[in-house]
Amino acid sequence: MSAADVDVEEVAAANTSFYEAMERGDFEEVAGLWLTPTDLGVDEEYHDPADTGVVSCVHPGWPVLTGRGEVLRSYALIMANTDYIQFFLTDVHVSVTGDTAIVSCTENILSGGPAPEEGEELGPLVGQLVVATNVFRRTPEGWKLWSHHASPVLATSEEDEDEEEGGADGDEGVGPDDGTLA
Protein backbone atom coordinates (compact mmCIF):
# COMPACT_ATOMS: atom_id res chain seq x y z
CA MET A 1 0.00 0.00 0.00
CA SER A 2 1.42 3.41 -0.96
CA ALA A 3 2.00 6.26 1.47
CA ALA A 4 -0.77 8.20 -0.29
CA ASP A 5 -3.22 5.33 0.30
CA VAL A 6 -2.22 5.18 3.97
CA ASP A 7 -2.80 8.94 4.30
CA VAL A 8 -6.27 8.64 2.75
CA GLU A 9 -7.16 5.77 5.10
CA GLU A 10 -5.86 7.67 8.15
CA VAL A 11 -7.82 10.81 7.23
CA ALA A 12 -10.97 8.77 6.61
CA ALA A 13 -10.52 7.15 10.04
CA ALA A 14 -10.05 10.57 11.71
CA ASN A 15 -13.19 11.83 9.98
CA THR A 16 -15.16 8.78 11.16
CA SER A 17 -13.81 9.23 14.71
CA PHE A 18 -15.10 12.81 14.72
CA TYR A 19 -18.66 11.77 13.85
CA GLU A 20 -18.62 8.77 16.21
CA ALA A 21 -17.47 10.99 19.10
CA MET A 22 -20.33 13.38 18.31
CA GLU A 23 -22.82 10.49 18.35
CA ARG A 24 -21.55 9.40 21.78
CA GLY A 25 -21.54 12.96 23.08
CA ASP A 26 -17.86 12.56 24.00
CA PHE A 27 -16.75 16.17 24.28
CA GLU A 28 -13.20 15.29 25.36
CA GLU A 29 -12.66 13.15 22.26
CA VAL A 30 -14.17 15.82 19.98
CA ALA A 31 -11.85 18.42 21.57
CA GLY A 32 -8.86 16.10 21.07
CA LEU A 33 -9.64 15.80 17.36
CA TRP A 34 -9.30 19.57 16.77
CA LEU A 35 -5.97 21.30 16.20
CA THR A 36 -4.42 23.07 19.17
CA PRO A 37 -2.31 26.23 18.97
CA THR A 38 0.74 24.02 19.65
CA ASP A 39 -0.17 21.85 16.64
CA LEU A 40 -0.10 25.03 14.58
CA GLY A 41 3.21 26.25 16.02
CA VAL A 42 1.48 29.19 17.70
CA ASP A 43 2.24 30.47 21.21
CA GLU A 44 -0.66 29.31 23.41
CA GLU A 45 -0.40 32.44 25.59
CA TYR A 46 -0.98 34.78 22.67
CA HIS A 47 -2.99 33.62 19.72
CA ASP A 48 -4.38 36.32 17.46
CA PRO A 49 -7.36 34.96 15.45
CA ALA A 50 -5.90 36.71 12.41
CA ASP A 51 -2.92 34.33 12.57
CA THR A 52 -2.66 31.85 9.77
CA GLY A 53 -3.94 28.44 10.75
CA VAL A 54 -6.68 29.38 13.20
CA VAL A 55 -9.40 26.72 13.39
CA SER A 56 -12.87 27.55 12.13
CA CYS A 57 -16.32 26.04 12.01
CA VAL A 58 -19.63 26.78 10.32
CA HIS A 59 -22.67 24.85 11.53
CA PRO A 60 -25.82 25.01 9.37
CA GLY A 61 -27.48 28.36 9.98
CA TRP A 62 -24.72 29.66 12.28
CA PRO A 63 -22.18 32.42 11.62
CA VAL A 64 -18.54 31.44 11.15
CA LEU A 65 -16.83 30.53 14.41
CA THR A 66 -13.08 31.13 14.67
CA GLY A 67 -10.62 30.05 17.30
CA ARG A 68 -10.45 26.81 19.22
CA GLY A 69 -12.38 28.09 22.24
CA GLU A 70 -15.31 29.37 20.20
CA VAL A 71 -15.45 26.21 18.07
CA LEU A 72 -15.34 23.86 21.07
CA ARG A 73 -18.00 25.90 22.94
CA SER A 74 -20.31 25.34 19.97
CA TYR A 75 -19.86 21.58 20.20
CA ALA A 76 -20.44 21.65 23.96
CA LEU A 77 -23.72 23.52 23.35
CA ILE A 78 -24.81 21.12 20.62
CA MET A 79 -24.06 18.09 22.79
CA ALA A 80 -25.80 19.58 25.82
CA ASN A 81 -28.95 20.28 23.81
CA THR A 82 -29.16 17.13 21.69
CA ASP A 83 -30.72 14.04 23.24
CA TYR A 84 -29.84 11.75 20.33
CA ILE A 85 -27.87 12.16 17.13
CA GLN A 86 -26.67 9.71 14.51
CA PHE A 87 -24.74 10.43 11.31
CA PHE A 88 -24.95 8.28 8.19
CA LEU A 89 -22.19 9.56 5.93
CA THR A 90 -22.54 9.21 2.17
CA ASP A 91 -20.68 10.61 -0.84
CA VAL A 92 -17.44 10.64 1.19
CA HIS A 93 -14.43 11.84 -0.77
CA VAL A 94 -10.95 12.23 0.74
CA SER A 95 -8.19 14.26 -0.91
CA VAL A 96 -4.70 14.57 0.58
CA THR A 97 -1.96 16.94 -0.50
CA GLY A 98 1.11 17.03 1.71
CA ASP A 99 0.08 17.71 5.30
CA THR A 100 -3.43 18.92 4.42
CA ALA A 101 -6.51 16.84 3.67
CA ILE A 102 -10.04 17.68 2.65
CA VAL A 103 -13.01 15.41 3.24
CA SER A 104 -16.31 16.23 1.56
CA CYS A 105 -19.38 14.24 2.50
CA THR A 106 -23.12 14.26 2.94
CA GLU A 107 -24.26 14.02 6.55
CA ASN A 108 -27.57 12.17 6.71
CA ILE A 109 -28.48 13.18 10.27
CA LEU A 110 -31.06 11.55 12.46
CA SER A 111 -31.67 13.36 15.74
CA GLY A 112 -34.10 12.89 18.57
CA GLY A 113 -36.32 15.60 19.89
CA PRO A 114 -36.76 16.15 23.60
CA ALA A 115 -38.85 13.69 25.56
CA PRO A 116 -42.44 14.94 26.04
CA GLU A 117 -42.33 14.48 29.85
CA GLU A 118 -39.60 13.70 32.35
CA GLY A 119 -38.76 9.99 32.26
CA GLU A 120 -40.61 9.26 29.02
CA GLU A 121 -38.99 7.91 25.89
CA LEU A 122 -37.17 10.08 23.40
CA GLY A 123 -39.35 12.44 21.41
CA PRO A 124 -39.88 12.18 17.67
CA LEU A 125 -36.90 11.60 15.40
CA VAL A 126 -36.05 14.26 12.84
CA GLY A 127 -33.97 13.79 9.70
CA GLN A 128 -31.75 16.39 8.10
CA LEU A 129 -29.49 16.35 5.05
CA VAL A 130 -26.28 18.41 5.29
CA VAL A 131 -23.24 18.65 3.04
CA ALA A 132 -19.96 19.09 4.87
CA THR A 133 -16.34 19.85 4.16
CA ASN A 134 -13.81 18.89 6.83
CA VAL A 135 -10.22 20.10 6.51
CA PHE A 136 -7.55 18.13 8.37
CA ARG A 137 -3.90 18.83 9.08
CA ARG A 138 -1.23 16.24 9.80
CA THR A 139 0.30 16.54 13.28
CA PRO A 140 2.77 14.32 15.16
CA GLU A 141 -0.30 12.82 16.94
CA GLY A 142 -2.14 12.12 13.68
CA TRP A 143 -4.66 13.99 11.54
CA LYS A 144 -6.64 16.72 13.31
CA LEU A 145 -9.52 18.95 12.25
CA TRP A 146 -8.59 22.41 11.06
CA SER A 147 -11.99 23.48 9.73
CA HIS A 148 -15.53 22.12 9.48
CA HIS A 149 -18.14 23.73 7.22
CA ALA A 150 -21.64 22.29 6.98
CA SER A 151 -24.57 23.58 4.95
CA PRO A 152 -28.13 22.25 4.83
CA VAL A 153 -29.43 20.70 1.64
CA LEU A 154 -32.74 22.27 0.79
CA ALA A 155 -35.42 19.72 0.07
CA THR A 156 -37.32 20.08 -3.18
CA SER A 157 -41.06 19.66 -3.38
CA GLU A 158 -42.98 18.13 -6.27
CA GLU A 159 -43.97 21.67 -7.30
CA ASP A 160 -40.28 22.66 -7.55
CA GLU A 161 -39.57 19.59 -9.68
CA ASP A 162 -42.47 20.49 -12.02
CA GLU A 163 -40.98 23.97 -12.51
CA GLU A 164 -37.56 22.47 -13.29
CA GLU A 165 -39.12 20.20 -15.91
CA GLY A 166 -40.83 23.07 -17.71
CA GLY A 167 -43.77 23.68 -15.40
CA ALA A 168 -47.21 22.16 -15.37
CA ASP A 169 -48.43 24.47 -18.16
CA GLY A 170 -45.44 23.84 -20.46
CA ASP A 171 -43.96 27.35 -20.14
CA GLU A 172 -40.41 25.93 -19.93
CA GLY A 173 -39.78 27.78 -16.65
CA VAL A 174 -39.90 31.31 -18.09
CA GLY A 175 -41.68 34.07 -16.16
CA PRO A 176 -45.00 35.37 -17.50
CA ASP A 177 -44.03 38.66 -19.18
CA ASP A 178 -40.47 39.59 -18.43
CA GLY A 179 -38.52 36.62 -19.77
CA THR A 180 -36.89 35.91 -16.41
CA LEU A 181 -36.64 32.39 -15.10
CA ALA A 182 -39.48 31.48 -12.78
Side-chain angles (χ1 to χ4, degrees):
M1 183 178 291
S2 73
D5 291 335
V6 170
D7 285 346
V8 167
E9 284 188 11
E10 289 175 353
V11 171
N15 193 64
T16 299
S17 293
F18 169 65
Y19 288 102
E20 289 175 349
M22 285 290 298
E23 289 177 347
R24 288 190 308 276
D26 187 339
F27 178 77
E28 294 303 317
E29 185 175 346
V30 168
L33 293 168
W34 280 88
L35 285 171
T36 66
T38 302
D39 293 328
L40 297 169
V42 176
D43 181 357
E44 291 193 50
E45 295 297 314
Y46 174 75
H47 185 198
D48 182 348
D51 285 343
T52 301
V54 69
V55 298
S56 65
C57 180
V58 177
H59 298 294
W62 292 38
V64 65
L65 305 172
T66 56
R68 185 174 162 79
E70 204 173 316
V71 168
L72 293 181
R73 269 190 295 283
S74 74
Y75 284 101
L77 284 169
I78 290 168
M79 289 178 187
N81 291 292
T82 304
D83 293 326
Y84 172 84
I85 192 163
Q86 189 170 10
F87 296 90
F88 300 95
L89 302 182
T90 57
D91 309 315
V92 179
H93 179 74
V94 179
S95 177
V96 179
T97 301
D99 291 336
T100 304
I102 297 174
V103 179
S104 60
C105 62
T106 300
E107 301 173 351
N108 301 270
I109 305 170
L110 187 61
S111 59
E117 301 258 340
E118 189 65 35
E120 290 188 21
E121 290 185 28
L122 188 66
L125 294 177
V126 178
Q128 183 178 14
L129 197 60
V130 173
V131 291
T133 302
N134 297 319
V135 180
F136 290 85
R137 181 167 172 169
R138 186 192 321 264
T139 73
E141 292 81 38
W143 292 93
K144 292 191 180 181
L145 273 164
W146 194 349
S147 182
H148 169 78
H149 187 125
S151 299
V153 175
L154 301 177
T156 59
S157 67
E158 285 184 31
E159 186 175 298
D160 292 339
E161 290 174 11
D162 284 345
E163 287 178 12
E164 288 176 11
E165 294 173 6
D169 59 9
D171 66 3
E172 301 300 323
V174 177
D177 297 315
D178 59 13
T180 60
L181 292 178

